[in-house]
Amino acid sequence: MNESRTVIREQIADLQFYTEGPVADRQGNFYCTTLSGGSILKIDRDNGISIWAESPCPNGQIILPDGDHLVCDVALLAIRRFSSEGRFLRNEIEGFCSDQPVYAPNDLIADADGGVYFTDSKRHEGKVCFFGINGEQKIVANGLDYPNGLILSSDGKSLYVAESYKNRILRIKLKAPGLADGDFQLHTNLPHHPSGKEQDNLPDGLALNSRGELLVAHYGMGAIQVISHKGETVSSIDTGMPLTSNLCLVDEQTLIVTGGYGEPGPGAMFKIRW
């Protein structure tokens, strides 16, 4: 680790429930999910908080180019589509993907063509799945130990996946949408918590900046790990939350980070600048 960053943390929400799924819309509003809290929250530019939509156990979330939101719901085993106003439209995935059971849809990312990759988080038997805009479904990778956050490379030719209980980031090369080019590869092993306990590590959500650095929400470490394109840990940013779940980039110097102080709560959202 060879780089220090001056960090400014601003708490933008103090909430009853642990938070996940941070996203930002084009109007400058932020959204997060509350898992067992059963709601998707909207935080406006004045940090006003309102319930934007409800779902039994919402987790990872993205906003599509047309403004619709896709939300993973663990309780429903579904990927759910909501309009930009928060109206439920339909389930894109429910119970199965490519005829295989879905156990815990966790996080998701869309490619340039509108195809969606999502993680199915299960110990030792987790999967990375894909569904396209034409209805096709594929299993990209399986046999993973709790795959969690994921992000596409800037050229769309590689998928990075946090394998939580291995405390590492995997790289899956893609030869076509939803189709892996060979087996997954190790991108990096992450720093370990001195306690030696698995639950004190657990990489979660991912983001990628314009420098090609991978930003990793390191759940049990209460930190964002900054990883170079070569897989080296560049720096570690203290989030102010012992449980750090996910993050989204607002600009090159600003992150929105979700998580909290326990599960199912309390939760928080922070804006972090450096």
Side-chain angles (χ1 to χ4, degrees), residues 97-98 100 109-118 127-142 150 152 156-159 172-182:
C97 182
S98 191
Q100 292 196 27
I109 192 72
D111 66 19
D113 298 321
V116 175
Y117 297 84
F118 70 94
K127 302 186 293 294
V128 178
C129 307
F130 173 86
F131 62 93
I133 57 173
N134 60 359
E136 66 178 332
Q137 299 180 3
K138 300 176 183 176
I139 304 301
V140 183
N142 52 33
L150 73 173
L152 283 160
K157 294 181 179 179
S158 293
L159 185 68
I172 302 172
K173 291 184 178 180
L174 301 169
K175 58 184 176 183
L179 188 61
D181 186 5

Side-chain angles (χ1 to χ4, degrees), residues 65-144:
D66 65 1
D68 286 358
H69 291 225
L70 293 182
V71 181
C72 295
D73 192 290
V74 181
L76 297 177
L77 310 180
I79 308 292
R80 315 192 80 198
R81 181 183 287 262
F82 294 82
S83 74
S84 59
E85 294 81 26
R87 178 170 56 90
F88 172 69
L89 299 175
R90 62 181 178 271
N91 288 334
E92 300 288 357
I93 292 287
E94 186 174 8
F96 293 86
C97 182
S98 191
D99 296 324
Q100 292 196 27
V102 170
Y103 296 98
N106 189 319
D107 206 356
L108 69 173
I109 192 72
D111 66 19
D113 298 321
V116 175
Y117 297 84
F118 70 94
T119 49
D120 185 19
S121 298
K122 187 178 182 183
R123 288 299 314 267
H124 312 297
E125 300 176 11
K127 302 186 293 294
V128 178
C129 307
F130 173 86
F131 62 93
I133 57 173
N134 60 359
E136 66 178 332
Q137 299 180 3
K138 300 176 183 176
I139 304 301
V140 183
N142 52 33
L144 304 181

Side-chain angles (χ1 to χ4, degrees), residues 132-212:
I133 57 173
N134 60 359
E136 66 178 332
Q137 299 180 3
K138 300 176 183 176
I139 304 301
V140 183
N142 52 33
L144 304 181
D145 198 357
Y146 208 91
N148 204 323
L150 73 173
I151 196 78
L152 283 160
S153 61
S154 56
D155 62 8
K157 294 181 179 179
S158 293
L159 185 68
Y160 295 96
V161 181
E163 190 178 18
S164 289
Y165 279 88
K166 296 291 187 183
N167 197 35
R168 65 186 185 178
I169 307 299
L170 304 177
R171 179 187 179 198
I172 302 172
K173 291 184 178 180
L174 301 169
K175 58 184 176 183
L179 188 61
D181 186 5
D183 204 356
F184 58 78
Q185 303 170 348
L186 173 67
H187 181 62
T188 189
N189 288 308
L190 293 170
H192 281 78
H193 194 281
S195 72
K197 298 177 181 178
E198 285 181 324
Q199 63 268 28
D200 289 339
N201 296 304
L202 304 183
D204 201 324
L206 304 180
L208 192 70
N209 67 19
S210 63
R211 295 168 59 178

Side-chain angles (χ1 to χ4, degrees), residues 211-257:
R211 295 168 59 178
E213 294 173 329
L214 195 63
L215 309 178
V216 183
H218 211 173
Y219 176 90
M221 298 279 272
I224 302 296
Q225 309 294 355
V226 183
I227 310 297
S228 75
H229 69 279
K230 296 180 180 179
E232 301 165 343
T233 302
V234 174
S235 62
S236 184
I237 300 169
D238 181 6
T239 65
M241 291 181 291
L243 304 181
T244 299
S245 68
N246 212 332
L247 69 163
C248 73
L249 276 166
V250 178
D251 56 48
E252 286 305 299
Q253 278 78 44
T254 310
L255 292 170
I256 299 298
V257 183

